[in-house]
Short mmCIF file of all heavy atoms in Angstrom, two decimals:
data_model
loop_
_atom_site.label_atom_id
_atom_site.label_comp_id
_atom_site.label_asym_id
_atom_site.label_seq_id
_atom_site.Cartn_x
_atom_site.Cartn_y
_atom_site.Cartn_z
N ALA A 1 -1.86 13.86 9.44
CA ALA A 1 -1.31 12.64 9.99
C ALA A 1 -2.38 11.57 10.10
O ALA A 1 -2.16 10.39 9.75
CB ALA A 1 -0.66 12.90 11.33
N LEU A 2 -3.56 11.96 10.58
CA LEU A 2 -4.66 10.98 10.70
C LEU A 2 -5.15 10.50 9.34
O LEU A 2 -5.38 9.32 9.13
CB LEU A 2 -5.82 11.61 11.48
CG LEU A 2 -5.59 11.85 12.96
CD1 LEU A 2 -6.78 12.60 13.54
CD2 LEU A 2 -5.37 10.56 13.67
N ALA A 3 -5.27 11.40 8.39
CA ALA A 3 -5.76 11.04 7.06
C ALA A 3 -4.77 10.15 6.32
O ALA A 3 -5.15 9.13 5.72
CB ALA A 3 -6.07 12.29 6.25
N ILE A 4 -3.50 10.54 6.33
CA ILE A 4 -2.50 9.76 5.62
C ILE A 4 -2.34 8.38 6.27
O ILE A 4 -2.26 7.35 5.58
CB ILE A 4 -1.17 10.50 5.54
CG1 ILE A 4 -1.31 11.76 4.68
CG2 ILE A 4 -0.06 9.62 4.99
CD1 ILE A 4 -0.12 12.69 4.75
N GLY A 5 -2.30 8.36 7.59
CA GLY A 5 -2.15 7.08 8.28
C GLY A 5 -3.31 6.15 8.06
O GLY A 5 -3.12 4.93 7.82
N SER A 6 -4.52 6.66 8.11
CA SER A 6 -5.68 5.80 7.91
C SER A 6 -5.84 5.36 6.45
O SER A 6 -6.20 4.23 6.16
CB SER A 6 -6.96 6.47 8.41
OG SER A 6 -7.22 7.65 7.64
N ALA A 7 -5.50 6.25 5.52
CA ALA A 7 -5.62 5.88 4.10
C ALA A 7 -4.56 4.85 3.72
O ALA A 7 -4.87 3.88 3.01
CB ALA A 7 -5.48 7.13 3.22
N ALA A 8 -3.35 5.04 4.23
CA ALA A 8 -2.29 4.08 3.90
C ALA A 8 -2.54 2.73 4.60
O ALA A 8 -2.24 1.68 4.06
CB ALA A 8 -0.94 4.63 4.30
N GLY A 9 -3.10 2.78 5.79
CA GLY A 9 -3.38 1.54 6.50
C GLY A 9 -4.56 0.77 5.93
O GLY A 9 -4.53 -0.45 5.83
N ALA A 10 -5.59 1.48 5.50
CA ALA A 10 -6.78 0.82 4.98
C ALA A 10 -6.54 0.21 3.60
O ALA A 10 -7.13 -0.78 3.25
CB ALA A 10 -7.93 1.81 4.91
N ASN A 11 -5.67 0.83 2.82
CA ASN A 11 -5.41 0.38 1.45
C ASN A 11 -4.03 -0.24 1.30
O ASN A 11 -3.47 -0.29 0.21
CB ASN A 11 -5.54 1.56 0.49
CG ASN A 11 -6.91 2.18 0.53
OD1 ASN A 11 -7.91 1.48 0.55
ND2 ASN A 11 -6.96 3.50 0.60
N HIS A 12 -3.46 -0.75 2.39
CA HIS A 12 -2.09 -1.23 2.37
C HIS A 12 -1.90 -2.38 1.37
O HIS A 12 -0.85 -2.46 0.70
CB HIS A 12 -1.66 -1.69 3.76
CG HIS A 12 -0.23 -2.07 3.89
ND1 HIS A 12 0.77 -1.13 3.88
CD2 HIS A 12 0.37 -3.26 3.98
CE1 HIS A 12 1.92 -1.73 3.98
NE2 HIS A 12 1.73 -3.04 4.03
N ALA A 13 -2.88 -3.23 1.25
CA ALA A 13 -2.73 -4.43 0.38
C ALA A 13 -2.69 -4.07 -1.11
O ALA A 13 -2.08 -4.79 -1.89
CB ALA A 13 -3.86 -5.38 0.65
N VAL A 14 -3.33 -2.98 -1.50
CA VAL A 14 -3.40 -2.64 -2.92
C VAL A 14 -2.38 -1.58 -3.34
O VAL A 14 -2.29 -1.25 -4.53
CB VAL A 14 -4.82 -2.17 -3.32
CG1 VAL A 14 -5.81 -3.31 -3.07
CG2 VAL A 14 -5.23 -0.94 -2.55
N LEU A 15 -1.62 -1.04 -2.41
CA LEU A 15 -0.64 -0.02 -2.74
C LEU A 15 0.65 -0.65 -3.26
O LEU A 15 1.06 -1.72 -2.80
CB LEU A 15 -0.32 0.84 -1.53
CG LEU A 15 -1.46 1.69 -0.95
CD1 LEU A 15 -0.98 2.41 0.30
CD2 LEU A 15 -1.96 2.67 -1.98
N THR A 16 1.28 0.04 -4.18
CA THR A 16 2.58 -0.39 -4.66
C THR A 16 3.63 -0.03 -3.61
O THR A 16 3.36 0.80 -2.73
CB THR A 16 2.94 0.29 -5.98
OG1 THR A 16 3.07 1.71 -5.75
CG2 THR A 16 1.87 0.05 -7.06
N PRO A 17 4.79 -0.64 -3.65
CA PRO A 17 5.83 -0.29 -2.68
C PRO A 17 6.18 1.21 -2.68
O PRO A 17 6.44 1.79 -1.63
CB PRO A 17 7.04 -1.12 -3.10
CG PRO A 17 6.44 -2.29 -3.81
CD PRO A 17 5.19 -1.78 -4.48
N ARG A 18 6.17 1.83 -3.85
CA ARG A 18 6.43 3.25 -3.94
C ARG A 18 5.35 4.06 -3.23
O ARG A 18 5.64 5.02 -2.49
CB ARG A 18 6.53 3.69 -5.38
CG ARG A 18 6.85 5.16 -5.56
CD ARG A 18 7.03 5.52 -7.03
NE ARG A 18 7.39 6.91 -7.20
CZ ARG A 18 6.53 7.88 -7.35
NH1 ARG A 18 5.23 7.63 -7.36
NH2 ARG A 18 6.93 9.14 -7.50
N GLN A 19 4.09 3.67 -3.42
CA GLN A 19 2.99 4.38 -2.75
C GLN A 19 3.06 4.18 -1.23
O GLN A 19 2.75 5.10 -0.47
CB GLN A 19 1.66 3.92 -3.30
CG GLN A 19 1.39 4.39 -4.72
CD GLN A 19 0.15 3.71 -5.31
OE1 GLN A 19 -0.14 2.57 -5.00
NE2 GLN A 19 -0.55 4.45 -6.15
N ARG A 20 3.42 2.99 -0.81
CA ARG A 20 3.58 2.74 0.63
C ARG A 20 4.69 3.61 1.23
O ARG A 20 4.53 4.17 2.31
CB ARG A 20 3.92 1.27 0.88
CG ARG A 20 2.78 0.35 0.66
CD ARG A 20 3.14 -1.06 1.03
NE ARG A 20 2.17 -1.97 0.45
CZ ARG A 20 2.46 -3.10 -0.14
NH1 ARG A 20 3.69 -3.51 -0.24
NH2 ARG A 20 1.49 -3.85 -0.63
N ARG A 21 5.80 3.72 0.51
CA ARG A 21 6.93 4.53 0.98
C ARG A 21 6.52 6.03 1.02
O ARG A 21 6.82 6.70 2.00
CB ARG A 21 8.12 4.32 0.05
CG ARG A 21 9.40 4.93 0.56
CD ARG A 21 10.62 4.55 -0.28
NE ARG A 21 10.45 4.92 -1.68
CZ ARG A 21 10.29 4.04 -2.69
NH1 ARG A 21 10.26 2.76 -2.45
NH2 ARG A 21 10.16 4.48 -3.94
N LEU A 22 5.85 6.50 0.00
CA LEU A 22 5.42 7.90 0.00
C LEU A 22 4.39 8.16 1.09
O LEU A 22 4.38 9.23 1.71
CB LEU A 22 4.85 8.29 -1.36
CG LEU A 22 5.89 8.41 -2.50
CD1 LEU A 22 5.19 8.64 -3.83
CD2 LEU A 22 6.87 9.49 -2.21
N GLY A 23 3.52 7.19 1.34
CA GLY A 23 2.57 7.33 2.44
C GLY A 23 3.28 7.40 3.77
O GLY A 23 2.89 8.15 4.67
N SER A 24 4.30 6.59 3.93
CA SER A 24 5.07 6.60 5.17
C SER A 24 5.80 7.93 5.34
O SER A 24 5.83 8.50 6.44
CB SER A 24 6.09 5.46 5.15
OG SER A 24 6.92 5.52 6.27
N TYR A 25 6.39 8.43 4.25
CA TYR A 25 7.06 9.75 4.34
C TYR A 25 6.09 10.86 4.70
O TYR A 25 6.39 11.73 5.50
CB TYR A 25 7.75 10.09 3.02
CG TYR A 25 8.95 9.24 2.68
CD1 TYR A 25 9.37 9.11 1.38
CD2 TYR A 25 9.66 8.56 3.65
CE1 TYR A 25 10.47 8.34 1.06
CE2 TYR A 25 10.75 7.78 3.35
CZ TYR A 25 11.17 7.67 2.04
OH TYR A 25 12.25 6.92 1.71
N GLY A 26 4.92 10.85 4.07
CA GLY A 26 3.92 11.86 4.37
C GLY A 26 3.44 11.78 5.81
O GLY A 26 3.22 12.81 6.47
N TYR A 27 3.25 10.55 6.29
CA TYR A 27 2.79 10.35 7.66
C TYR A 27 3.83 10.88 8.66
O TYR A 27 3.47 11.61 9.57
CB TYR A 27 2.55 8.86 7.87
CG TYR A 27 2.11 8.51 9.27
CD1 TYR A 27 0.86 8.90 9.74
CD2 TYR A 27 2.92 7.78 10.13
CE1 TYR A 27 0.45 8.58 11.02
CE2 TYR A 27 2.54 7.47 11.39
CZ TYR A 27 1.29 7.86 11.85
OH TYR A 27 0.89 7.54 13.11
N TRP A 28 5.09 10.54 8.47
CA TRP A 28 6.12 10.98 9.39
C TRP A 28 6.36 12.48 9.27
O TRP A 28 6.66 13.14 10.28
CB TRP A 28 7.42 10.21 9.18
CG TRP A 28 7.31 8.84 9.74
CD1 TRP A 28 7.18 7.65 9.07
CD2 TRP A 28 7.24 8.51 11.14
NE1 TRP A 28 7.04 6.62 9.94
CE2 TRP A 28 7.09 7.10 11.23
CE3 TRP A 28 7.30 9.24 12.32
CZ2 TRP A 28 7.01 6.45 12.43
CZ3 TRP A 28 7.21 8.57 13.53
CH2 TRP A 28 7.07 7.20 13.58
N ALA A 29 6.24 13.02 8.09
CA ALA A 29 6.38 14.49 7.93
C ALA A 29 5.26 15.22 8.67
O ALA A 29 5.50 16.24 9.34
CB ALA A 29 6.37 14.86 6.47
N SER A 30 4.06 14.67 8.60
CA SER A 30 2.95 15.28 9.35
C SER A 30 3.13 15.13 10.85
O SER A 30 2.84 16.05 11.61
CB SER A 30 1.62 14.63 8.93
OG SER A 30 1.34 14.90 7.60
N LEU A 31 3.64 13.97 11.29
CA LEU A 31 3.90 13.80 12.70
C LEU A 31 4.98 14.74 13.22
O LEU A 31 4.91 15.22 14.35
CB LEU A 31 4.27 12.35 13.00
CG LEU A 31 3.14 11.33 13.03
CD1 LEU A 31 3.68 9.95 13.36
CD2 LEU A 31 2.07 11.73 14.04
N LEU A 32 5.98 15.01 12.40
CA LEU A 32 7.01 15.95 12.82
C LEU A 32 6.53 17.41 12.80
O LEU A 32 7.02 18.24 13.54
CB LEU A 32 8.26 15.81 11.91
CG LEU A 32 9.04 14.52 12.08
CD1 LEU A 32 10.13 14.43 11.04
CD2 LEU A 32 9.63 14.45 13.49
N ALA A 33 5.54 17.67 11.93
CA ALA A 33 5.01 19.04 11.85
C ALA A 33 4.15 19.37 13.05
O ALA A 33 3.99 20.57 13.38
CB ALA A 33 4.19 19.19 10.56
N ILE A 34 3.61 18.38 13.74
CA ILE A 34 2.75 18.66 14.89
C ILE A 34 3.51 19.36 16.01
O ILE A 34 3.12 20.46 16.42
CB ILE A 34 2.07 17.35 15.38
CG1 ILE A 34 1.08 16.85 14.34
CG2 ILE A 34 1.36 17.58 16.72
CD1 ILE A 34 0.57 15.45 14.59
#
């Protein structure tokens, strides 16, 4: 959750919409796994 959130946040400007969406899905999946 920390890695996906920080990577998606730090590179938000250069990510495509699909990559942003997948980053969001991965982040929320990790948060639900906790």
Side-chain angles (χ1 to χ4, degrees):
L2 291 174
I4 293 170
S6 63
N11 301 315
H12 186 74
V14 298
L15 295 177
T16 65
R18 181 176 183 270
Q19 290 171 326
R20 288 184 196 137
R21 189 172 57 250
L22 289 175
S24 175
Y25 290 158
Y27 178 69
W28 284 107
S30 294
L31 282 181
L32 290 173
I34 293 169

